Amino acid sequence: MLQWKELYQECNECTKCNLGSGRTNMVFGEGNPKAKLLFIGEAPGADEDRTGRPFVGRAGKLFEKGVQALGLTREKDFYIANICKCRPERNRTPDEDEAMACITYLRNQVALIKPKIIVCLGATAMKYIISPDWRITRNRGKWVERNGFYLTCTFHPSAVLRDENKKVSFWEDLKNIKRKYDEV
Ligand code: URA
């Protein structure tokens, strides 16, 4: 297991998959490295690739609005990262081999952060972190306890942007996550 600085360096120089050749910036993740709550998204989009920061585009703004309403901030209360650290062209879903190559870095981050709660934002994170047999629409909001982590998933904020009808469920899930956060 690498420590933060070495891990960052390795990610920044990574050429394990093709996404590395298309990146402007690697998006490592950010937040409180000792937080008990970790959010995991899919992969950087254009704004994230440009800035090197996760969830700063339109979807990120919606996400921030939600967590801020709960009184949670990136700086203090959670860490946020993605399955893939480099942007897939045209924001396509990362391929399995891209996800598998990159997830070792995320696992290293999890081992350093030691969060109590891991929340998957969207189907890609849910598939690789919780189970390929889960479906967001069916399983969102459900908790599983595994290896000392409480795991759950909710809609990806981009999906909420595309479909207003998901807003209420997304907000319910965030409140449910805050309840768990206060409990653990
Ligand atoms: N979507 C994601 O899954 N992650 C980001 O960082 C931005 C958009």
Side-chain angles (χ1 to χ4, degrees):
M1 182 175 99
L2 299 175
Q3 294 306 308
W4 285 110
K5 199 168 152 229
E6 291 73 34
L7 180 61
Y8 183 91
Q9 250 162 22
E10 197 165 315
C11 292
N12 216 20
E13 291 160 11
C14 182
T15 53
K16 280 202 288 183
C17 82
N18 286 335
L19 299 184
S21 56
R23 70 173 170 243
T24 311
N25 287 294
M26 178 277 293
V27 179
F28 186 68
E30 66 181 25
N32 179 352
K34 292 187 164 72
K36 62 179 178 180
L37 172 61
L38 170 66
F39 287 99
I40 303 176
E42 179 175 306
D47 295 305
E48 291 78 19
D49 176 67
R50 186 172 46 74
T51 58
R53 300 183 56 212
F55 285 94
V56 292
R58 271 186 76 220
K61 292 208 166 73
L62 176 74
F63 169 77
E64 277 299 320
K65 225 167 117 180
V67 287
Q68 269 173 26
L70 298 173
L72 299 176
T73 66
R74 261 183 218 209
E75 297 72 32
K76 244 177 54 239
D77 307 306
F78 62 89
Y79 194 93
I80 185 159
N82 286 302
I83 296 288
C84 284
K85 293 186 171 9
C86 298
R87 184 191 181 202
E89 71 282 359
R90 303 181 311 281
N91 299 344
R92 65 167 171 79
T93 305
D95 294 337
E96 185 123 2
D97 57 333
E98 293 159 348
M100 294 321 281
C102 209
I103 210 166
T104 57
Y105 298 134
L106 183 62
R107 291 198 193 289
N108 197 330
Q109 285 171 297
V110 171
L112 291 168
I113 299 166
K114 300 190 208 77
K116 293 202 164 93
I117 302 167
I118 300 180
V119 178
C120 298
L121 296 171
T124 298
M126 179 207 68
K127 172 179 165 187
Y128 293 110
I129 303 292
I130 304 180
S131 167
D133 300 326
W134 273 32
R135 294 292 170 267
I136 285 284
T137 41
R138 195 174 59 220
N139 298 105
R140 50 159 275 273
K142 193 168 131 184
W143 291 98
V144 278
E145 206 180 335
R146 195 198 294 158
N147 305 326
F149 303 112
Y150 291 104
L151 308 171
T152 191
C153 64
T154 185
F155 293 121
H156 192 288
S158 307
V160 183
L161 282 177
R162 282 194 301 271
D163 178 4
E164 277 268 318
N165 294 321
K166 292 191 166 72
K167 233 177 189 163
V168 172
S169 307
F170 183 62
W171 176 236
E172 269 174 16
D173 292 344
L174 287 181
K175 285 192 290 189
N176 173 29
I177 291 158
K178 177 63 162 52
R179 274 194 294 277
K180 183 66 94 182
Y181 181 90
D182 290 335
E183 202 178 287
V184 297

